[in-house]
Amino acid sequence: MLGARVALADPHGIAGPPEPETAEQKQAHRVQMASDMAAWLPRIVGRFRYEGMVDFNTEPADPGGAASDPPPDPLKMKSARGLGDCIRIGTGPGVQCVLNVTWPEEWDPHGQPVEGGDQFLKPALVLYGLDPNAAVLRYLQLDAGGLVQDGPAPLQGDTVSWTYTTTCVQSGNGVQPSCRRTTRIYAPAGGKTVQTSIEIDKWDQGNARWVKVAAYMLDMHRVPPVPAK
Amino acid sequence: MAAAAVPPAPSPAADATTGGEQQLGQVTVEGTRLKATRSAQKIVDWLKRLVGPFRYEGSVELGGEGASRQALPVSGVADCTAFGRASGVSCTMMVTWPEVHGENGAQVPGGVSTLAPAIIQYGLDPDHIGIRYLQVDNKGLANYGQGYLVGDTLTTTTPCVGIEGECRRITTIDAHPDGNTTEMRIDIEQDFVRTVRFSFVLHRLSPGQFRRGGGTSR
C-alpha cells in the first residue's frame, strides 16, 4: 500500500531523510487512499450486536506517579451491550450508523456521573464519508445529548481512528479541564466481528499529562439480516 | 454602524431605466454589524427550525465568470429528524436537477446531482458555541463545515472535496424564524472565481404532503 511507503532500508545505516513526495506521488497516494477507504467503509455496513467491557479509572491521579496508566482492574470493569445499524448512502461508500449501547452508569460520591460514565451512546448517530483531497475519512457523531464531535479519521491498515479533544463534561472545582476521546475501529476484510475501542483521557494540569479515566472495548458481532415476512 | 463599498453590480432597477447600459459606480450600505450568537439556546432553537419534512426548489447555476451561465431547476424532498437532547439534526434528502455534461461527456462541477440521496447531520459545538455539520453524498464524498450563527444565518467556508486545485466552498444557510422556509446557498469558487452556485429554497411540508411526494426515510 502506498500509504505505508517507507524509505528503503540502508544496510550501512547512513541513509539520509526520505526524499519529499513529488506531485505525482502525492496524487497517486491520494488515489490509493481513496480506494482503500471506499473499500473499508462497507465493512461496517449492516446490523451489529455490541458486547464488551467498560473500565472506569476513578482513582485520583498519583501526584508523583509514573506516566503510564494503571492496568485495568477486572473487578471494576462493567459489561456493555447494545445494537448498531449502519446503512450505505445510496450506492456510494458513505455510511450512517445508529448506535444504542448501554452500560451501568458510573457515579461519583457527589452523585454526578464520572467522565464517560453516562450512557453517551444511548443512542448516537455517526456519519462517515470520504475526503479524497486530504486522503482521510471524515466523521460526525451526535451523541445522546445531541452534542457533536467531528473531524478527520485516517485509515491505517484495517483501522480507522480519531481523537477529539473537548472540554470535559464534568468540571472539577470550577475549572474546565480538557478531555480527549480516542476512537479506533478495526474492521478487517471479510471479518464477522468489528472491534471498537474508545478511550477517554483527562488532562491533569498538576502533573502536565493525560490520565486515562475510562476505556470501552466493544466487539461488534454481525447479525444476519432478518428475512422479510 | 458598518459601511462597505461593493464593486459595480448590475441592478434590475438600473437595467429597467437605462436598458442595462448603465451601472452604478458605488453602492454604500449602512447597517448594524451583527455579532455571532454566544447563546447555546439560540443555536438549539435555530437547529429546531431545520427539523421536519421539506420540499426543495431553486436552481443550480453553472458556468464561471465570462462563461455562458446555465440555471438548472431543482426539485426534491428532505426529511430532517431531531436527535438527542441538544437538538442534533439528521436530514436525508433526495434532490435532483437536469443533468449537464461537458464536451464528450466530461464531468462538469455541479452538472449532475450527487444529492439523490445524501445525508447531512448538524450539531451544536458546545466548546465554541457554534454549529458543525457533515454532508455525505451518493458518491460518498464528505462536505463539512463549522461556523457561528449570525442572526438567522450560518455561514461556513471550507475546502472543496473532490475538486482539485485552489477551491473553496462557501455555504450560507438562512433558516427563517417561522420555521417554514430555509434558504441555502452554496458557492464553489475555483481560483477565486465562482464556478457553481447552488440556490436551494426549502419549504416545510405537512406530513401528508411529504408522504405523497415520496419520502426517503431509512
Side-chain angles (χ1 to χ4, degrees):
Chain A
M1 195 172 74
L2 285 170
R5 196 165 55 88
V6 294
L8 292 174
D10 177 6
H12 305 293
I14 54 172
E19 291 186 7
E21 280 186 320
T22 64
E24 291 76 15
Q25 287 170 323
K26 283 181 181 173
Q27 176 63 11
H29 178 209
R30 283 198 293 261
V31 169
Q32 182 63 48
M33 283 307 298
S35 172
D36 291 346
M37 293 185 299
W40 186 89
L41 277 172
R43 298 177 193 171
I44 62 169
V45 172
R47 182 160 288 189
F48 294 91
R49 176 171 47 84
Y50 277 80
E51 284 185 344
M53 303 298 286
V54 182
D55 176 37
F56 297 108
N57 174 24
T58 54
E59 299 297 323
D62 179 1
S68 61
D69 295 300
D73 180 349
L75 295 178
K76 286 186 178 178
M77 295 179 86
K78 297 184 173 185
S79 66
R81 293 179 185 282
L83 289 172
D85 195 2
C86 298
I87 58 163
R88 290 181 80 144
I89 301 170
T91 55
V95 175
Q96 187 184 40
C97 297
V98 183
L99 315 180
N100 207 331
V101 183
T102 63
W103 51 82
E105 293 198 333
E106 181 83 4
W107 300 74
D108 68 14
H110 307 292
Q112 297 292 318
V114 302
E115 194 69 38
D118 60 321
Q119 298 179 351
F120 59 86
L121 296 181
K122 183 198 174 187
L125 194 57
V126 196
L127 185 60
Y128 301 95
L130 307 176
D131 182 350
N133 297 29
V136 293
L137 293 172
R138 290 220 162 248
Y139 80 97
L140 186 144
Q141 175 174 311
L142 297 172
D143 69 16
L147 302 181
V148 70
Q149 58 171 290
D150 72 339
L155 171 68
Q156 290 185 302
D158 293 318
T159 302
V160 163
S161 63
W162 66 82
T163 298
Y164 189 77
T165 303
T166 183
T167 305
C168 297
V169 175
Q170 304 306 322
S171 59
N173 302 325
V175 295
Q176 290 278 313
S178 291
C179 279
R180 66 180 185 190
R181 295 185 181 208
T182 302
T183 302
R184 296 181 185 86
I185 303 175
Y186 170 67
K192 288 185 177 178
T193 301
V194 175
Q195 293 173 324
T196 297
S197 72
I198 305 169
E199 291 182 359
I200 301 181
D201 299 320
K202 192 172 190 174
W203 181 247
D204 176 4
Q205 184 71 38
N207 294 297
R209 69 182 184 98
W210 291 101
V211 176
K212 188 188 296 181
V213 293
Y216 312 75
M217 292 135 287
L218 304 169
D219 285 340
M220 300 161 56
H221 304 285
R222 194 175 292 279
V223 176
V226 178
K229 290 182 180 176
Chain B
M1 301 285 274
V6 298
S11 152
D15 288 351
T17 54
T18 65
E21 296 297 321
Q22 189 178 351
Q23 292 185 331
L24 294 175
Q26 187 178 39
V27 175
T28 301
V29 179
E30 292 189 354
T32 304
R33 186 187 298 275
L34 295 173
K35 290 184 177 176
T37 183
R38 305 302 297 159
S39 162
Q41 184 58 52
K42 284 185 178 173
I43 292 175
V44 169
D45 292 342
W46 187 88
L47 287 168
K48 286 178 179 173
R49 298 176 191 169
L50 305 181
V51 175
F54 290 91
R55 172 173 56 86
Y56 268 71
E57 63 178 31
S59 64
V60 175
E61 196 174 314
L62 304 180
E65 290 175 11
S68 62
R69 295 199 176 218
Q70 194 173 4
L72 308 170
V74 167
S75 64
V77 291
D79 188 17
C80 298
T81 55
F83 190 87
R85 292 187 296 276
S87 288
V89 179
S90 173
C91 300
T92 302
M93 69 191 80
M94 189 69 79
V95 178
T96 60
W97 51 88
E99 291 190 7
V100 169
H101 299 274
E103 288 183 17
N104 301 320
Q107 287 188 353
V108 177
V112 177
S113 171
T114 59
L115 303 180
I119 293 179
I120 184 166
Q121 291 183 188
Y122 303 88
L124 166 67
D125 174 358
D127 284 347
H128 302 97
I129 318 293
I131 294 171
R132 292 170 181 254
Y133 67 85
L134 176 66
Q135 173 185 289
V136 178
D137 66 17
N138 66 9
K139 304 285 187 194
L141 295 179
N143 281 293
Y144 60 96
Q146 57 190 76
Y148 299 102
L149 191 61
V150 178
D152 297 315
T153 305
L154 173 71
T155 303
T156 64
T157 301
T158 53
C160 300
V161 171
I163 298 177
E164 294 292 327
E166 187 70 40
C167 181
R168 62 181 191 163
R169 175 186 173 100
I170 303 164
T171 302
T172 305
I173 304 174
D174 181 3
H176 295 194
D178 64 8
N180 289 325
T181 307
T182 298
E183 297 176 61
M184 300 180 72
R185 195 174 71 195
I186 303 156
D187 286 344
I188 305 295
E189 290 187 357
Q190 292 178 269
D191 296 321
F192 304 102
V193 175
R194 194 182 82 211
T195 55
V196 190
R197 168 168 285 180
F198 303 89
S199 300
F200 300 142
V201 182
L202 286 69
H203 300 282
R204 183 177 296 280
L205 295 173
S206 69
Q209 288 174 314
F210 181 66
R211 279 194 296 272
R212 285 194 296 276
T216 57
S217 57
R218 295 174 73 91

